[in-house]
Amino acid sequence: LFIKYLVESNESFANLQNVGLQFYSEEQELWTDFDAKKLEQILNNLISNAVKFTPKYGKVLVAVKKVTRNNQPFVELLVKDNGIGISSEQLPYIFDRFHQANPNHANQGSGIGLALVKELVTILEGTIKVESELGKGTKAILHFPIRNHAPLVQNTSNLTLEPLVH
């Protein structure tokens, strides 16, 4: 649900760019420990880049599923677009700070976002792999270990905030 929420929070940006943004999950629900702020930064950056580098009427897909690697469960996140892509020469450098894979593109950023994404994925003990082909799009595949060590947080939707008294 949290990932779906993050995708939906990017829909207005995608609509402004005339890019379709879609969420898909093979799982009805998936329970794991995660850092909400870090995951939000990672996904917002990847979705934003996918939308920025996808032409009008293009598509961005965010998908989530549970996979097993080396007998361990992982959450797999996929952010895929059919945008302009990244050349094979530029691909090895996309996580380098200040590197710009498409320096002539109108929506080019500062080159810090993907370096931050890589750092945050590493902090969360995950992995990220990016595949791309010029003119056909880019695919980011992330894996995070499924762990359930933290205590469950109760649903806070029924809580009310008390006014602050001075």
Side-chain angles (χ1 to χ4, degrees), residues 85-114:
I86 303 166
S87 72
S88 58
E89 295 82 28
Q90 295 293 322
L91 206 52
Y93 308 105
I94 61 170
F95 295 117
D96 293 352
R97 197 172 298 269
F98 306 117
H99 180 76
Q100 297 176 331
N102 298 299
N104 298 324
H105 192 273
N107 291 327
Q108 183 61 48
S110 62
I112 294 175
L114 287 178

Side-chain angles (χ1 to χ4, degrees), residues 28-164:
Q28 187 66 23
E29 61 181 20
L30 191 83
W31 292 87
T32 186
D33 301 338
F34 67 96
D35 184 317
K37 289 196 181 298
K38 287 180 179 68
L39 190 57
E40 180 178 11
Q41 284 183 291
I42 291 166
L43 274 179
N44 282 344
N45 192 294
L46 292 174
I47 293 169
S48 172
N49 281 351
V51 169
K52 282 193 294 190
F53 294 104
T54 297
K56 282 185 178 185
Y57 314 114
K59 295 178 188 169
V60 174
L61 170 68
V62 179
V64 62
K65 68 180 178 180
K66 182 180 177 181
V67 297
T68 302
R69 293 173 42 190
N70 300 324
N71 293 322
Q72 299 295 318
F74 285 83
V75 174
E76 180 179 280
L77 293 174
L78 170 73
V79 179
K80 180 180 178 181
D81 66 64
N82 63 349
I84 63 173
I86 303 166
S87 72
S88 58
E89 295 82 28
Q90 295 293 322
L91 206 52
Y93 308 105
I94 61 170
F95 295 117
D96 293 352
R97 197 172 298 269
F98 306 117
H99 180 76
Q100 297 176 331
N102 298 299
N104 298 324
H105 192 273
N107 291 327
Q108 183 61 48
S110 62
I112 294 175
L114 287 178
L116 175 63
V117 164
K118 176 70 171 167
E119 246 176 74
L120 293 173
V121 168
T122 302
I123 289 169
L124 297 176
E125 299 179 34
T127 61
I128 183 169
K129 176 182 170 188
V130 175
E131 300 171 357
S132 190
E133 192 175 337
L134 272 179
K136 296 200 176 184
T138 302
K139 176 168 50 172
I141 306 149
L142 300 96
H143 290 101
F144 296 102
I146 294 177
R147 297 192 179 115
N148 294 294
H149 303 299
L152 284 176
V153 177
Q154 294 299 318
N155 184 348
T156 58
S157 62
N158 295 331
L159 294 180
T160 56
L161 297 176
E162 297 297 321
L164 191 60

